[in-house]
Every structure is written in structure tokens, then in C-alpha cells.
Amino acid sequence: MSKSGTLDLASGVGGKIEKKEVLSAVEKYEKYHACDGEAEEERKANYIDMVNKYYDLATSFYEYGWGESFHFAPRWKGESLRESIKRHEHFLALQLGVKQGQKILDVGCGIGGPLREIAKFSGAYVTGINNNEYQVARGKELNRIGGIDNTCNYVKADFMSMPFADDSFDGIFAIEATCHAPNVFDCYKEIFRVLKPGQYFANYEWCVTDFFDPNNSNHRRIKREVELGNGLPDIRSMGECMEALKHAGFEIIWDKDIAIDSPLPWYLPLDKSHFSLSNVRVTAFGRFFTRNMVKILERVGLAPEGSQKVQAILEQNADALVEGGKEGIFTPLYFFLARKPAAIDPLT
């Protein structure tokens, strides 16, 4: 089960970073997102360090406020956030056509909420790849607690260079994870390599929409704050993702920003004007409570120095995501289903 208390939150801040090093890690992370072109290149060149620092610092906050599945979802009226997240994961499994006993890969699996749900839903064997040691350890613990060690496992590795043989998996999915890749073509090409011929890759990408104007200073600010708050080297357009996917060798089955048809906006849980008892921790009241508890816990030494700065970055990010959603310039729900062409018999 997810860590439920503020003491669990405080003890987890920093992940595998030494507690006395948390503040310096936050400061180093912030430097990756300085407002200049060189910082973007540095983020891409040092994406492993940047993303690891981000998830070491942010994971306990994510789990405390959101649960085990670190992603958004389209949502029906009357549906809870938790229900919408599960339905979102089931939809992905159905799109992939996952069958019992198949070997499936989750690229950038976080602490494994989606892979556990899809394994239980489908009966498949799901492997998660993740380069963050703290998240892998936490995912293994949650697998053990859930009693599904035999059907779910983790590999600690960089998804830009995976330690799997060619044509290893019957299906591959990623949920709001490949946005961390420094080069989306290289990322998709590596996924193409380890997917069996004739099988499918399904993905939810974070993208700027066609309404994003790079000459609009407010749009640029929102984009920069989302990148800072989520450990992203850059946010790509949907068109860039499509071109990279085709160039990597995939056939596109279909693609769509599925946020467009959502009866409730994807950003609703983060909107401070919205209140929900079922997800109170991310409401304005919940954020106020968490902010002050973290301040107290840091002051008395139960949370490491720097915890307040992490919480502030994540709050700023939440507000930027809501702004981006309301402006229509950003979506975390750009979905595509792609297929690796079937192998051609050389004798035909």
C-alpha cells in the first residue's frame, strides 16, 4: 500500500541521497533548469543525473499525494481519481492486446503502480525498467506486499540503452515516462529493438499542443516551470513524437490527445479552486497542511534540510500544469499505438 502519513513522507524525502546532502542535491537540480540555452543542453547531456535527482527528491511526495501510479487520466463525472487511473491503465492493456502469459515491458515504470495493475488485470508477466535505485527498491517492496513477485519484476537500467536482447517482448508500454528521454528518436529506436516483430508499443506522452506559442513569454514560463517540476530536459510537440516514431521504424495505428474528450479536465485534482474529499492531499487545503507539516518536520530534524524546497518546486509545478491545461498549450495524455512490422521471410 502507499505510504500514508506525513512521517512516511518525511522519511522518504531524498530517496537514496544521504539526508545531509538533500539540500545540495536540490540546488544542483535547480541549476539544471536555469533560464538559458546552455542549461537545456546540460539537462540533455546529464539527463541520468538530473532525472535521478528529481525522483530521489520527489517520489515520497508523489506517493503521499497521488498513490502508486504517477500519472494523469481522462475522467468521467462521478468517477474518483483512483478509479480513472485504473481505467486508464486497463484501456492501455486492451489497446496492446495483452494476453495471459505474455512478456510485457513497462518503460520508465516508477514504483510500479501501472505494471502491478496491468499484471493483475491481464495475467501477463510485466517487467519494469527504471534507472532510479530508490524507486526500484520501493517497487519491489510493493510487489512483495501485493504478493505478485512471481509476475512482476524490475530491471535497474537506462531505457535509452536497455540490457535486453533484440525481439524480447510481446508488448511494450510507457506512461508519461519517455518525456524524460534526452532524444526521443533514440528512445523509440531502442524500444523498437527489444519489441518482437508484429507486436505493439503503446504510449502516453507529455507534449505541448499546437496552441503553444514559443514567442509568448507566458507560454515559455509555463513550459519552463513544468520542466523544472518534473525533471524534463524539454517538452516536445506531438508532431515531433510522430516523426521520431516513424523514423524509428514503427507503423502508426492511431494517435490522439485523449485529454480533448475527457468530461472532466485532467488537471482538475491539482486545481486549487477544486476540492475533493477523495483526494484531499492535492487540494489547496491539503497542500497547505503538507507545506506546514514539512516545515515543522524539517525544523525538528525529522525531515532533511531541503524538504521545503522540494515541496515548493512541486507546488509551483502543480500550478503550472493547471495553467498549461487551462491555456490548452500542454497535455500529458497524448496517446499513440504503434506496431513493429512483422518479420519478412527472406525466401518469399
Side-chain angles (χ1 to χ4, degrees), residues 92-93 96-107 114-115 118-119 122-129 151-153 164 168-174 194-196 199-202:
L92 186 148
L96 274 180
V98 179
K99 297 180 178 62
Q100 186 171 3
Q102 285 187 324
K103 290 175 59 181
I104 306 298
L105 179 66
D106 179 355
V107 175
L115 73 82
I118 288 173
S122 67
Y125 296 96
V126 187
T127 297
I129 185 167
T151 57
C152 298
N153 71 303
F164 307 122
S168 291
F169 294 96
D170 299 303
I172 298 178
F173 69 88
V194 302
L195 181 63
K196 290 180 180 178
Q199 301 304 314
Y200 295 90
F201 168 42

Side-chain angles (χ1 to χ4, degrees), residues 185 189 242-250:
F185 164 71
K189 190 68 176 176
M242 274 296 98
E243 285 304 308
L245 202 60
K246 293 172 185 175
H247 190 41
F250 283 103

